Amino acid sequence: MAIRKLRYEGDPVLGKVCKEVKEMTPHLKELVQDMLETMYAEGVGLAAPQVGVLRRIAVIDVGEGPYVFVNPKIVETAGEQIGDEGCLSVPGKSGTVRRPEYVKTVAFDADMNPIEVEGHGLFARAMCHEFDHLDGHLYLEKVEGPLNEVSYADEDEN
C-alpha cells in the first residue's frame, strides 16, 4: 500500500468523467488499498480521479466505515442540509454547499459484490461530494456565497 499523489484544482483529470469498472483487477485492488491509505492520511473521503485514475471508485470513512464504492449510483435522496465543505483537491478553502440530508446509493464493494448503502448528515454529504468527482465536478460549482480561506489552526479546532 502507498499514499498516492493528489491532483489539485486546475488539473484536467479532475474535470473528466470516469469510466465504469467492469472487473476488479489486481491493479484496481491495489488502487483501492492505496486510496484508503491516502484518505486516512488526508481526510474522510477520496475519489479515484483525485489520485489521477479515471475509474468510478470512491472511498469514504466518516467514522462509520470504511466504505468502498465501485460504480456508485445515488438512487434516492431526501431532505436538505447546508454546511461547509472542503476538498483535498482544493486545499486551504471551504465553502457553503447545499446537499441532501439523506442519500441511498447502490454500488459494488471492492470484491464487486452489490451493496446498498444509506447515509444521513455528514455521510450523505460525503457520498454526494465524492461521487460528484466521478463525473468531473468539484464542490466549487455548488458553493453558495464566498469561498473561505482555511488555516491549519482552523482545521485543528474542528
Side-chain angles (χ1 to χ4, degrees):
M1 290 183 12
I3 294 178
R4 300 259 180 138
K5 182 180 176 211
L6 292 172
R7 301 295 183 98
Y8 298 104
E9 178 187 12
D11 188 316
V13 76
L14 295 174
K16 295 186 178 180
V17 175
C18 294
K19 294 179 184 171
E20 200 168 279
V21 175
K22 303 272 190 224
E23 68 174 302
M24 186 55 65
T25 65
H27 174 73
L28 290 177
K29 280 250 191 209
E30 181 180 336
L31 170 66
V32 167
Q33 292 307 309
D34 290 353
M35 286 176 63
L36 286 166
E37 188 171 341
T38 304
M39 175 192 69
Y40 283 125
E42 304 283 347
V44 299
L46 187 69
Q50 292 180 274
V51 292
V53 180
L54 290 172
R55 293 291 179 268
R56 298 189 76 76
I57 301 173
V59 296
I60 298 171
D61 190 348
V62 296
E64 303 174 19
Y67 285 91
V68 175
F69 296 93
V70 178
N71 301 332
K73 291 184 178 81
I74 293 174
V75 295
E76 186 178 333
T77 63
E80 182 177 83
Q81 61 174 308
I82 300 170
D84 269 358
E85 281 187 30
C87 181
L88 297 176
S89 293
V90 188
K93 298 194 185 309
S94 71
T96 302
V97 178
R98 187 179 311 262
R99 299 278 191 187
E101 171 60 32
Y102 164 83
V103 171
K104 183 193 286 186
T105 299
V106 294
F108 296 95
D109 66 14
D111 295 317
M112 296 303 283
N113 297 311
I115 58 172
E116 182 177 284
V117 179
E118 297 178 89
H120 296 268
L122 179 59
F123 191 27
R125 176 178 296 281
M127 282 192 277
C128 292
H129 178 107
E130 299 308 332
F131 302 165
D132 277 353
H133 279 296
L134 304 179
D135 290 319
H137 300 290
L138 293 174
Y139 83 101
L140 299 173
E141 299 170 29
K142 298 179 185 289
V143 169
E144 298 176 6
L147 276 178
N148 305 307
E149 296 293 325
V150 177
S151 73
Y152 289 110
D154 292 340
E155 290 175 356
D156 290 341
E157 293 172 6
N158 291 332

